[in-house]
Amino acid sequence: MFRGKMKMKMEELIACGMSVEEAEQLMKVIDDVISKVDDVREVWREVVARKLLKPEHPHALHQMVYYTLYSDWDSSLLGPPPYWFPNSYESRYTNLGRMMEAHGPRLLGKSYQDPISSFSTFHNFTLHNPEIYWSLVLKELSVWFRSPPRRILDDTIDNSKPGGTWFPGALLNISECCLMPTAHPRKMDTSLAIVFRQEGADHLPVSHFTLKQLRLQVMLVANVLDATFAKDDVIAIDMPMTVNAVIIYLAIILSGRIVVTIADSFAAKEIATRLRISNAKAIFTQDFILRGGRRFPLYSRVLEAAPNITIVIPAVGESVWSNYNLILHRPHDYSPVYQPGDAITHILFSSGTTGDPKAVPWTQLSPIRAAADTWAHMDVQVGDVMCWPTNLGWVVGPILLYGCFLSGATLALYHGSPLGRGFGKFVQDARVTLLGTVPSLVKTWKNTHCMDGLDWTRLRAYASSGEASNVDDDLWLSSRSYYKPIIECCGGTELAGGYLQSSLLQPQAFGAFSTPSMSTGFVILDDHGNPFPEDQACEGELALFPLLPGATDRLLNADHEKIYFEGMPLYKGMRLRRHGDIVKRTVGGYYLVQGRADDTMNLGGIKTSSVEIERVCNQTDGSVLETAAVGAASPHGGPEMLVLFVVVKENITADPEKLRIQFSKAIQHNLNPLFKVRLVKIIPELPRTVTGKLLRRVLRDQVKQELSLRSRI
């Protein structure tokens, strides 16, 4: 029996910000629905469909209605409560819906019904028939081959790669695919490629680049590179994700060179490490980072890293490329360098568990996978405007870039801090339709009320990645646009995309994933390395099926086979690929990521090695004998917290709070200024195996139990 309505009182609705008329209408809708069907999901669906809860209503009202209606929902029996439901009519106009309507009857036969009912069946088909699925996806994306591949996938027994060889024989330039209208039937030279705004210019119209304007700038910079560097030189970028950064990035790849991207938050030591590993010949950077009305030095940090050659771009001012028009013979004419599909175009970095970060090479196929993910799950279409505060040094940066340019959408860039109202006004003024976030950013928006009064109702979906989402923060975010869906994304730099996503063809629950990515498969392993049954609620280490186009088949400074495949079990004849995440499959088929199985943690969306943090902290104070760093997830969701266990030297007394401050300063100086130690616990000794291996998982479990107990008090 649905009792949520009985707990909701008119006077409480009015006290939370509803008018008397609105409260009466809401109560009537609830009565009407429960007179026909005793199902809270249908009540919530109708409340949302009729737009009875408005963005301008106080968050307390949204909280009251949502939590009251679902107050009797038993997640242990039913799974997470859904807040968004696909629409039968609209589902047919999503990217996947159109593909399924066009090809579903032929591929699935009589079992095909419609995009919503047949989604799981179609996903299973893409998993077992990747060649058919990817041949269809290529026709939807802006991908043009100078020489077409002989086939989609070579996974024969003669192929030594566990993940097979994708698009063998193909020649292309993925940067050219982004820039040429001929590569996509609905892209034109006059199409808006980028819209952007500088922080502090809220009173001015949004600036823009058409596709033709972008292409001419990229070709100009490619000519500058040819006039300055050798063809095999590796070029780095350490800049905020601005229009200039995007132009430089595409120009390096158009010219056949390899680009190295470094996040602009890194300390000089970390910049130097990445330049050394990649053997970068030069680096593009910016004089300052303008953020929140302040100027933060960047060039001086890069200079401290001692690069060979540094090219400095001013943060503000006229185009830095205009002078080259006078000295180059044909500045806006350029012949792309065509290379095989497995040629490296981009080096990113992902923290490992041993000192140096892993140098992760993206080939020309990695952008195709990245764009295919956003096309299928975020439903990026021609005419969309997509914004996601990020950086080219993090995997979301290139995913955003290729997700827009290979789908014919417009990339929206805000040159400034995403924490304040200026960013929110840009989202409004740029008419953004798809907004990417990280959960900690959403929490800031909600708690500071900086987005109050802005119109985000043009948004048709959100995306979220980097860390675990908080249910209440997501409730606030979704309510800003009449409860549009939040597409949760989880993947990795080495995968060039996601393995867990959400879909506009499935009901969505806050903070949960609803499906593996299209054509992606995995199993969840128990403590003995055996897969749980596919329909069973469970929790364990996730292991991926190896056939993943665009995912790495090598690392530049580590043993790829050892890291991802050594010791992994066989499953149905496949050698499973290690990823390292602990995943929970709930009742109802949703997924929750519970953290890392290895010694890597996720701090504010940045995967970081415990060893790196411990190395810094062990040298911070003379009283410290050894440390163990673990990431602990809050019981209420949100970003992981950095906790340090400390063993002090004999006969020494240490102050945990003093150590916490010292550790935070040292980590921020040596690793990343965004990291912060939340808790220091002094213990007599660290738990170890008989062979001396540090058992961080035991410490994580200890912190998890303590946080869980505190949340109940």
Side-chain angles (χ1 to χ4, degrees):
M1 174 69 180
F2 170 60
R3 296 186 293 274
K5 188 257 182 180
M6 294 190 300
K7 298 179 182 180
M8 199 176 302
K9 303 183 184 305
M10 279 275 295
E11 56 269 26
E12 291 176 345
L13 292 172
I14 295 169
C16 283
M18 265 191 166
S19 67
V20 174
E21 182 180 353
E22 288 174 329
E24 289 175 344
Q25 185 182 10
L26 175 63
M27 299 297 280
K28 182 178 185 305
V29 167
I30 295 174
D31 283 334
D32 290 345
V33 175
I34 61 176
S35 69
K36 300 171 186 174
V37 55
D38 188 21
D39 189 337
V40 62
R41 290 169 295 192
E42 293 305 315
V43 176
W44 175 255
R45 186 205 293 253
E46 195 65 20
V47 168
V48 170
R50 296 199 186 191
K51 297 184 176 180
L52 300 179
L53 291 174
K54 299 175 172 41
E56 59 267 24
H57 282 147
H59 182 53
L61 176 64
H62 292 271
Q63 289 175 306
M64 178 191 170
V65 175
Y66 175 79
Y67 292 123
T68 302
L69 288 178
Y70 276 117
S71 59
D72 292 324
W73 184 270
D74 189 340
S75 295
S76 64
L77 298 176
L78 302 170
Y83 71 94
W84 183 86
F85 305 87
N87 175 285
S88 177
Y89 174 78
E90 292 177 355
S91 69
R92 289 176 164 84
Y93 293 93
T94 62
N95 289 329
L96 274 182
R98 286 187 292 102
M99 178 182 282
M100 292 172 67
E101 287 287 270
H103 304 285
R106 174 175 60 87
L107 299 177
L108 305 182
K110 293 182 179 179
S111 68
Y112 181 75
Q113 299 178 48
D114 59 72
I116 297 173
S117 305
S118 301
F119 173 77
S120 295
T121 305
F122 185 67
H123 179 277
N124 190 57
F125 177 88
T126 69
L127 177 60
H128 294 97
N129 300 273
E131 290 191 80
I132 296 176
Y133 174 71
W134 284 97
S135 66
L136 294 175
V137 169
L138 284 177
K139 295 174 183 176
E140 299 291 337
L141 298 178
S142 177
V143 176
W144 179 81
F145 294 103
R146 178 75 172 188
S147 297
R150 295 189 300 273
R151 58 187 300 181
I152 298 294
L153 170 64
D154 176 8
D155 61 346
T156 59
I157 196 168
D158 295 330
N159 194 312
S160 60
K161 297 179 181 179
T165 297
W166 292 86
F167 309 116
L171 279 178
L172 72 158
N173 185 296
I174 198 64
S175 178
E176 180 189 39
C177 295
C178 294
L179 299 168
M180 302 303 292
T182 53
H184 194 285
R186 287 174 289 171
K187 276 170 62 174
M188 298 178 290
D189 268 345
T190 55
S191 299
L192 279 184
I194 303 177
V195 292
F196 60 99
R197 174 181 281 166
Q198 181 71 46
E199 182 180 272
D202 298 355
H203 58 291
L204 298 176
V206 172
S207 302
H208 68 270
F209 266 63
T210 64
L211 185 62
K212 182 177 180 180
Q213 289 171 326
L214 175 63
R215 183 172 68 252
L216 294 178
Q217 288 292 298
V218 170
M219 287 182 169
L220 170 60
V221 178
N223 278 303
V224 172
L225 293 173
D226 279 359
T228 312
F229 300 104
K231 273 296 185 183
D232 58 351
D233 283 344
V234 177
I235 312 293
I237 300 175
D238 187 346
M239 298 173 63
M241 193 164 175
T242 61
V243 173
N244 273 327
V246 169
I247 290 170
I248 296 165
Y249 177 92
L250 291 172
I252 294 171
I253 296 173
L254 190 72
S255 68
R257 294 175 174 86
I258 296 174
V259 62
V260 179
T261 53
I262 302 172
D264 61 9
S265 59
F266 277 123
K269 182 180 177 182
E270 292 301 303
I271 298 170
T273 298
R274 285 153 176 78
L275 294 176
R276 169 179 56 82
I277 293 171
S278 63
N279 196 27
K281 178 73 172 182
I283 184 168
F284 283 89
T285 189
Q286 201 167 278
D287 50 0
F288 294 96
I289 298 172
L290 302 178
R291 193 164 289 159
R294 299 170 62 191
R295 289 157 59 103
F296 298 92
L298 179 57
Y299 169 57
S300 58
R301 241 189 302 145
V302 170
L303 198 62
E304 192 180 337
N308 290 326
I309 301 172
T310 306
I311 303 97
V312 185
I313 309 295
V316 294
E318 296 299 317
S319 170
V320 297
W321 314 112
S322 56
N323 291 337
Y324 285 97
N325 285 316
L326 304 176
I327 60 176
L328 293 172
H329 177 54
R330 299 172 68 186
H332 300 300
D333 188 19
Y334 195 85
S335 297
V337 176
Y338 299 104
Q339 300 184 87
D342 64 355
I344 297 174
T345 60
H346 184 182
I347 299 172
L348 297 104
F349 291 89
S350 178
S351 290
T353 56
T354 58
D356 275 352
K358 296 195 299 287
V360 179
W362 269 30
T363 68
Q364 301 216 77
L365 306 185
S366 305
I368 297 176
R369 175 175 177 80
D373 267 3
T374 60
W375 178 89
H377 293 279
M378 299 178 207
D379 197 45
V380 182
Q381 300 187 14
V382 173
D384 273 320
V385 179
M386 189 171 183
C387 183
W388 201 330
T390 184
N391 187 276
L392 287 169
W394 305 127
V395 68
V396 170
I399 287 177
L400 171 65
L401 185 153
Y402 290 116
C404 289
F405 293 155
L406 295 183
S407 296
T410 301
L411 172 63
L413 299 173
Y414 184 69
H415 298 180
S417 170
L419 295 172
R421 188 175 182 83
F423 174 79
K425 189 170 187 301
F426 171 69
V427 171
Q428 170 188 281
D429 296 350
R431 303 170 73 83
V432 171
T433 58
L434 300 169
L435 177 61
T437 67
V438 292
S440 54
L441 187 56
V442 177
K443 185 179 291 292
T444 297
W445 293 341
K446 185 191 80 171
N447 292 344
T448 61
H449 301 279
C450 63
M451 303 305 178
D452 289 359
L454 294 174
D455 183 1
W456 283 8
T457 56
R458 285 190 63 85
L459 287 167
R460 62 185 189 88
Y462 302 88
S464 180
S465 72
E467 56 197 32
S469 293
N470 176 278
V471 170
D472 194 64
D473 294 343
D474 277 0
L475 174 71
W476 175 88
L477 180 66
S478 182
S479 72
R480 297 306 88 194
S481 54
Y482 290 107
Y483 288 95
K484 294 302 191 298
I486 301 170
I487 306 301
E488 296 282 348
C489 318
C490 186
T493 307
E494 68 279 9
L495 300 180
Y499 68 85
L500 271 178
Q501 306 262 6
S502 303
S503 173
L504 297 182
L505 301 179
Q506 295 176 297
Q508 298 303 317
F510 288 127
F513 306 87
S514 64
T515 179
S517 301
M518 297 303 294
S519 85
T520 300
F522 59 74
V523 292
I524 298 174
L525 304 175
D526 63 21
D527 289 340
H528 304 288
N530 300 313
F532 285 103
E534 293 181 5
D535 58 350
Q536 179 180 328
C538 58
E539 181 176 335
E541 182 176 352
L542 174 135
L544 291 162
F545 293 2
L547 295 180
L548 300 163
T552 55
D553 59 11
R554 74 206 102 156
L555 294 169
L556 302 187
N557 63 337
D559 187 333
H560 190 273
E561 170 70 21
K562 182 177 181 179
I563 290 174
Y564 296 115
F565 290 100
E566 187 177 279
M568 293 299 288
L570 285 171
Y571 179 75
K572 296 183 178 180
M574 297 179 290
R575 176 68 65 186
L576 295 174
R577 178 174 175 136
R578 182 181 292 108
H579 186 67
D581 283 347
I582 300 295
V583 172
K584 178 179 181 180
R585 182 164 51 222
T586 73
V587 175
Y590 291 95
Y591 297 88
L592 305 172
V593 177
Q594 302 292 87
R596 298 287 295 171
D598 57 17
D599 294 332
T600 302
M601 65 191 78
N602 186 329
L603 301 177
I606 303 171
K607 288 183 180 178
T608 306
S609 166
S610 297
V611 175
E612 287 180 297
I613 291 174
E614 291 158 6
R615 184 181 291 112
V616 171
C617 294
N618 287 342
Q619 301 172 0
T620 299
D621 190 279
S623 67
V624 174
L625 179 65
E626 59 179 343
T627 61
V630 298
S634 165
H636 305 295
E640 280 189 293
M641 299 180 293
L642 175 55
V643 178
L644 275 154
F645 288 83
V646 180
V647 178
V648 297
K649 295 175 180 177
E650 193 173 355
N651 299 322
I652 291 181
T653 302
D655 180 356
E657 178 59 18
K658 179 184 175 184
L659 287 176
R660 187 190 69 79
I661 295 171
Q662 287 179 307
F663 289 159
S664 289
K665 289 180 178 178
I667 292 168
Q668 288 164 0
H669 175 73
N670 290 284
L671 297 178
N672 195 306
L674 303 179
F675 294 169
K676 181 179 180 181
V677 179
R678 293 296 185 91
L679 180 66
V680 167
K681 295 179 70 66
I682 297 177
I683 56 176
E685 61 180 0
L686 298 176
R688 298 184 184 276
T689 65
V690 291
T691 60
K693 180 176 173 61
L694 180 58
L695 293 170
R696 292 186 184 84
R697 191 168 186 176
V698 172
L699 299 174
R700 272 195 295 270
D701 290 343
Q702 180 182 327
V703 175
K704 186 177 179 181
Q705 287 179 340
E706 290 185 18
L707 292 174
S708 179
L709 287 172
R710 287 184 192 179
S711 69
R712 296 172 191 164
I713 298 175

